[in-house]
Amino acid sequence: MCRVIGITNRHLCEGDYFRQIERIAELPLEAVIVREKDLDSAEYRILASKVMNICRKSGMKCILHSFYDVAEELGCEYIHLPLGVFKGNLDIVHRFKEVGVSTHSVEEAVEAEKLGAAYITAGHIFATDCKKGLEPRGLEYLRNVCDSVDIPVYAIGGINRENIKRTTLCGAKGACVMSGIMKY
């Protein structure tokens, strides 16, 4: 069974962002990562607080992204970080219930695991508008990552209904979906 983590991007949302989050929070997802990378800390705090409240009401696990100071301030137990941010703040492992890390190579995946990541995302697997013009790493790459670590791996990048099962056949615990949930 493929577990799905939704990733937010308000620029992909065709209607009201918070209404879309309410809809997403009712889906059978493992979690939602609030990944609004273009916001500053203060703007992110306001948005994340609202998303966390929506998720709390529906019982959806909410993971904040990058802004670990905001996550701590808001009492969020889950954070997802780029590898560089994680490496620069290793004490984060002890400050959160779960730390996920974005990786883009087998070496990064192994490093994230050794440094204490609870799970990793590996991407981008398929062609995606979010990485337009950048060659996807593909399923063989995903298989290599999954074979190299003992923590859960979530495929990311161009994941849709047609290809999601192929990610679990490579050993991934699940996949991350952005466009599919923001335009749902």
Side-chain angles (χ1 to χ4, degrees):
M1 179 177 164
C2 184
R3 296 182 182 196
V4 178
I5 295 176
I7 300 187
T8 71
N9 181 338
R10 66 191 192 292
H11 300 294
L12 295 176
C13 188
E14 296 170 353
D16 179 74
Y17 175 81
F18 295 107
R19 176 65 191 117
Q20 187 64 20
I21 297 299
E22 289 172 352
R23 294 177 71 202
I24 292 166
E26 298 303 321
L27 295 174
L29 302 176
E30 183 168 325
V32 171
I33 296 177
V34 184
R35 182 181 175 250
E36 303 296 337
K37 294 169 92 172
D38 62 323
L39 298 178
D40 65 27
S41 182
E43 295 167 322
Y44 185 84
R45 184 194 186 290
I46 292 167
L47 182 132
S49 177
K50 291 179 183 178
V51 174
M52 284 177 64
N53 284 333
I54 292 168
C55 289
R56 193 175 296 119
K57 287 178 187 173
S58 70
M60 175 68 66
K61 178 177 170 183
C62 184
I63 304 169
L64 298 191
H65 191 282
S66 293
F67 293 97
Y68 55 88
D69 53 337
V70 170
E72 286 184 303
E73 185 183 331
L74 295 175
C76 184
E77 298 179 313
Y78 308 99
I79 190 76
H80 188 93
L81 302 170
L83 180 59
V85 174
F86 182 50
K87 285 171 37 175
N89 300 279
L90 292 177
D91 66 317
I92 284 177
V93 169
H94 306 292
R95 293 164 34 200
F96 290 90
K97 185 174 187 176
E98 186 176 88
V99 178
V101 177
S102 299
T103 66
H104 301 93
S105 71
V106 171
E107 295 76 22
E108 286 184 0
V110 170
E111 182 178 16
E113 179 180 37
K114 284 181 181 174
L115 294 173
Y119 70 91
I120 59 169
T121 58
H124 72 284
I125 304 305
F126 301 106
T128 175
D129 287 341
C130 294
K131 305 275 186 190
K132 211 166 200 65
L134 207 61
E135 189 70 26
R137 289 182 173 87
L139 293 170
E140 188 62 31
Y141 156 75
L142 179 61
R143 183 175 288 106
N144 290 336
V145 169
C146 293
D147 289 345
S148 299
V149 298
D150 293 320
I151 57 176
V153 176
Y154 290 84
I156 189 168
I159 308 295
N160 59 40
R161 282 189 170 122
E162 289 76 39
N163 64 26
I164 195 168
K165 184 162 177 56
R166 292 167 46 199
T167 66
T168 57
L169 295 175
C170 292
K173 179 177 183 175
C176 298
V177 178
M178 183 188 297
S179 298
I181 65 156
M182 294 309 296
K183 295 178 178 184
Y184 163 75

